[in-house]
Amino acid sequence: LKSIMTKQKLASICTDKLKYLISNAVEVASNGVVVPKMYYRSRVRLYDTMYRFHSNGKKSSVKVKHLYAIPYSRYFTLRDILISTGAEQEVIDEDDEQIKQNFKLMMDEKDHPSKQALEKAFFTEIGKMKSPEVLAEYVELNKRILNNKLSEQEKFVFIEASAEIDTFLAKKLGDDAKLFMSTEEKFLKFLKDHRYLSGWVTAAGVVVFTIMSSPISDHFLSISKF
């Protein structure tokens, strides 16, 4: 019994951590580049903490499905920088869906015991598509990013490439974020997304919100799939 309670507590902690990580990532991706330096730091932090998403995702009671968007976004950014510097030639026949599927398998299905193990797996996936020489360029570029050794031009391309993939990242992680929402949070998000949070509709929304918070509303939502 004690063991079960410990596992449940651990799952609860990891669920809360994963919710926080995903919500932060979605917020940055949704807001886009407001202050370039802050955006750059937040995106580097996202890529550097990929293992935290993976480890908490494996233990969380809420099972998300789109964490692969993080390594895919990271690969997309690294690739764009290397293409801009001439270290890699643009490849137009890459199987984009297969790349995503490989990263999904890496993040969701496999269990990596450490950050180093996940990093190795990430570059192993890239190595399946690249020559050893080009793979070495990816590894070296990644080191320079994490050690803040990029040139100003490379930082510009980093920001530009990351921003280009933001819509994809916000959509996929946003779908995962919805899994953590309560009925009330889903309803408020619906109002916000459809611009119902103003004027007389707000007053009507409060009444509906009270109804939607009841057990009956939960049953209604499960049927209507609101």
Side-chain angles (χ1 to χ4, degrees):
L1 181 60
K2 184 177 180 180
S3 176
I4 294 175
M5 292 178 65
T6 301
K7 288 182 179 180
Q8 290 176 339
K9 185 177 180 179
L10 177 61
S12 178
I13 292 172
C14 291
T15 299
D16 289 342
K17 287 182 177 179
L18 185 62
K19 178 182 178 181
Y20 173 78
L21 289 167
I22 290 177
S23 63
N24 275 359
V26 171
E27 182 177 4
V28 173
S30 299
N31 291 339
V33 184
V34 179
V35 181
K37 286 185 178 180
M38 292 180 62
Y39 177 88
Y40 174 77
R41 287 197 296 267
S42 65
R43 185 57 82 238
V44 171
R45 190 181 309 115
L46 172 67
Y47 298 154
D48 191 35
T49 56
M50 189 169 73
Y51 178 70
R52 292 179 62 192
F53 286 85
H54 169 73
S55 60
N56 285 299
K58 296 296 289 185
K59 301 180 183 71
S60 170
S61 57
V62 176
K63 298 305 177 186
V64 296
K65 299 179 180 179
H66 303 98
L67 293 182
Y68 71 88
I70 300 170
Y72 178 78
S73 175
R74 185 179 174 186
Y75 165 67
F76 184 95
T77 301
L78 290 171
R79 183 181 63 186
D80 267 25
I81 296 173
L82 291 176
I83 290 174
S84 74
T85 61
E88 180 179 9
Q89 298 298 313
E90 186 168 5
V91 180
I92 60 175
D93 61 346
E94 279 189 344
D95 189 339
D96 200 56
E97 290 306 313
Q98 186 60 54
I99 294 170
K100 292 174 183 176
Q101 188 59 39
N102 291 345
F103 283 139
K104 180 174 176 59
L105 182 65
M106 181 188 83
M107 292 295 282
D108 295 347
E109 302 298 330
K110 296 182 180 179
D111 193 359
H112 306 281
S114 65
K115 179 179 179 179
Q116 291 75 15
L118 182 61
E119 289 292 297
K120 181 179 180 181
F122 174 67
F123 287 105
T124 297
E125 290 300 332
I126 294 176
K128 293 176 182 178
M129 304 177 281
K130 313 292 179 182
S131 68
E133 293 77 17
V134 173
L135 175 61
E137 294 284 352
Y138 275 84
V139 174
E140 179 58 29
L141 174 60
N142 183 70
K143 288 180 181 178
R144 291 198 293 115
I145 290 174
L146 299 183
N147 291 318
N148 196 26
K149 299 294 184 181
L150 292 188
S151 67
E152 290 304 311
Q153 177 59 27
E154 287 173 326
K155 286 183 179 179
F156 175 81
V157 178
F158 178 100
I159 292 172
E160 191 177 53
S162 295
E164 186 178 341
I165 202 74
D166 267 347
T167 301
F168 169 79
L169 191 64
K171 171 65 172 65
K172 294 303 180 182
L173 293 185
D175 287 344
D176 284 344
K178 293 175 185 176
L179 299 176
F180 297 90
M181 288 182 178
S182 64
T183 300
E184 291 86 350
E185 289 172 326
K186 288 178 181 177
F187 181 67
L188 287 175
K189 185 178 187 305
F190 174 82
L191 292 180
K192 181 179 179 182
D193 290 347
H194 292 80
R195 303 183 185 280
Y196 289 156
L197 290 181
S198 62
W200 63 271
V201 183
T202 299
V206 172
V207 176
V208 176
F209 178 73
T210 303
I211 296 173
M212 301 292 276
S213 300
S214 68
I216 295 176
S217 70
D218 289 343
H219 178 64
F220 170 75
L221 290 179
S222 67
I223 295 176
S224 62
K225 295 184 179 179
F226 171 72

